[in-house]
Amino acid sequence: MAQMADTHVDDPARIEEFEARIARGESIEPKDWMPERYRKQLVRMMSQHAHSEIVGMLPEGNWITRAPSLRRKMTLLAKVQDEGGHGLYIYCGTETLGVDRKELVDQLLSGKAKYSSIFNYPTLSWADMGCIGWLVDGAAIVNQTMLAKASYGPYARAMVRICKEENFHKRQGYEIIATLAAGTPEQKAMAQESLNRWWWPSLMMFGPSDKDSPNTAELIRWGVKKKTNDELRQRFVNLTVPQAQAVGLTIPDPELRHDPETGNWVFGAIDWDEFWAVVKGDGPCNRERLEARRKAHDDGAWVRQGAEAYAAKARGQRRPVAA
């Protein structure tokens, strides 16, 4: 694990120089001095991102054995595998901030750490595999392309690599939806029903509105984020509405309208009560998701023990005898 440099946040001169580097657009690297608050914000943000990738494997993994064809099974399997890799990659990046991965995983399993609220919704039909790729990964791309310009070097570089794969995931999901929308009336109805369920949770993915977000202003000042939650949400809507129209589906928002002056699609009010309920653990699948992760962690204990024994042997140490 990388050793962090001295972080005296009370030193005005060091803070001034740090913020000057941010203003110049310089990249902050693991061995550079950084304010403790900056480090903690990154640990929180990056670990939540990593947790989201890992928990995000569950809703889609549920459909691998029920995919309608071998081709669909292979592509879904590859996608879920990619998400697991993204999570491990971001965990590695978070460790450069001086935090141990075991600590981060323990926070997830205990319920202390958060992950994206979107993954606490159930996948009820095959069309959900399309909507997750199209909407959920599409929203992630809007956010992550901005993070690829983040001030913290390891996080920014991780996003460059991850966004390449997420773009494939979005295209894969949209192709599923387009195929269903062009199919039988029953298939199109399935795609529309899935869109109805996933639209609003996808808008919530960007986090609370700017006026209610406790972290956005600080993250933007430090160059971790380049746009606010509301700005990113608007960009996602502007990109997605024409895509829905192209395949003959209807966005489930009676207030949706195009503003010719701004070029934006104006959308209705988001149910923030639902958002906060899911974030606080009262969503449709919160308990199910954590239970699945805890079971996977417990079932995988033998792998960790074997890796530790192998590492001890490689160091020429005798494996401790279990009591």
Side-chain angles (χ1 to χ4, degrees):
M1 185 188 304
Q3 296 296 317
M4 297 303 301
D6 184 27
T7 55
H8 293 296
V9 298
D10 293 330
D11 186 337
R14 300 189 92 171
I15 293 177
E16 183 178 356
E17 173 56 26
F18 175 83
E19 294 189 342
R21 291 188 61 191
I22 297 293
R24 293 193 296 267
E26 295 182 19
S27 178
I28 306 300
E29 298 299 334
K31 293 184 179 181
D32 294 341
W33 184 90
M34 64 186 71
E36 181 64 12
R37 176 67 179 173
Y38 177 85
R39 188 189 75 84
K40 288 183 176 179
Q41 282 280 41
L42 282 169
V43 170
R44 177 193 63 81
M45 188 172 177
M46 293 173 67
S47 63
Q48 286 183 6
H49 190 165
H51 298 331
S52 298
E53 297 282 1
I54 298 299
V55 176
M57 299 166 67
L58 297 173
E60 293 173 298
N62 183 44
W63 277 88
I64 291 174
T65 59
R66 295 182 286 168
S69 68
L70 179 59
R71 173 176 175 267
R72 295 298 191 194
K73 188 187 297 288
M74 291 171 61
T75 53
L76 183 58
L77 185 63
K79 181 179 188 294
V80 173
Q81 184 177 11
D82 284 348
E83 306 296 1
H86 295 172
L88 298 179
Y89 196 36
I90 300 171
Y91 279 135
C92 288
T94 311
E95 287 181 314
T96 66
L97 293 160
V99 62
D100 187 82
R101 186 181 311 191
K102 182 180 183 300
E103 178 185 348
L104 300 178
V105 173
D106 287 345
Q107 290 174 357
L108 170 64
L109 299 179
S110 69
K112 180 180 178 181
K114 303 298 182 184
Y115 54 86
S116 180
S117 61
I118 194 77
F119 299 120
N120 289 312
Y121 289 86
T123 47
L124 305 179
S125 72
W126 172 251
D128 288 3
M129 299 304 96
C131 274
I132 288 178
W134 172 34
L135 301 178
V136 176
D137 292 326
I141 292 168
V142 169
N143 187 44
Q144 291 169 11
T145 50
M146 293 294 103
L147 291 175
K149 304 173 185 177
S151 58
Y152 189 58
Y155 198 22
R157 290 189 289 272
M159 290 304 100
V160 172
R161 173 175 174 175
I162 288 172
C163 280
K164 293 179 181 178
E165 294 181 354
E166 294 289 5
N167 270 291
F168 173 78
H169 298 166
K170 178 186 175 181
R171 295 174 71 175
Q172 173 186 332
Y174 188 62
E175 193 258 347
I176 291 174
I177 290 296
T179 300
L180 291 172
T184 66
E186 291 80 8
Q187 288 173 324
K188 184 173 183 179
M190 180 195 297
Q192 182 65 61
E193 189 275 336
S194 182
L195 172 58
N196 294 346
R197 285 186 288 107
W198 288 96
W199 175 252
W200 292 106
S202 296
L203 296 191
M204 296 176 194
M205 275 185 68
F206 295 95
S209 61
D210 294 344
K211 65 181 179 63
D212 296 322
S213 175
N215 299 303
T216 294
E218 188 172 58
L219 291 171
I220 287 180
R221 177 165 63 87
W222 279 332
V224 178
K225 294 185 68 171
K226 298 297 182 180
K227 291 186 180 295
T228 69
N229 295 349
D230 287 339
E231 289 173 329
L232 293 170
R233 192 171 6 252
Q234 184 64 66
R235 174 166 172 75
F236 170 73
V237 172
N238 289 349
L239 290 171
T240 309
V241 171
Q243 294 167 355
Q245 293 174 334
V247 294
L249 297 181
T250 302
I251 299 294
D253 180 359
E255 299 180 38
L256 186 70
R257 62 180 176 83
H258 188 260
D259 184 345
E261 292 187 5
T262 64
N264 290 330
W265 283 92
V266 180
F267 51 94
I270 295 172
D271 184 352
W272 292 116
D273 289 339
E274 177 184 332
F275 170 78
W276 288 115
V278 176
V279 168
K280 293 176 182 178
D282 195 23
C285 297
N286 290 66
R287 295 171 185 82
E288 178 183 333
R289 299 294 184 237
L290 276 182
E291 185 177 321
R293 286 310 313 153
R294 291 181 185 125
K295 183 179 186 303
H297 186 77
D298 292 342
D299 290 348
W302 67 274
V303 178
R304 296 189 298 276
Q305 292 167 359
E308 290 169 359
Y310 181 83
K313 182 177 181 181
R315 293 193 303 267
Q317 298 176 357
R318 183 177 179 181
R319 181 181 179 182
V321 178

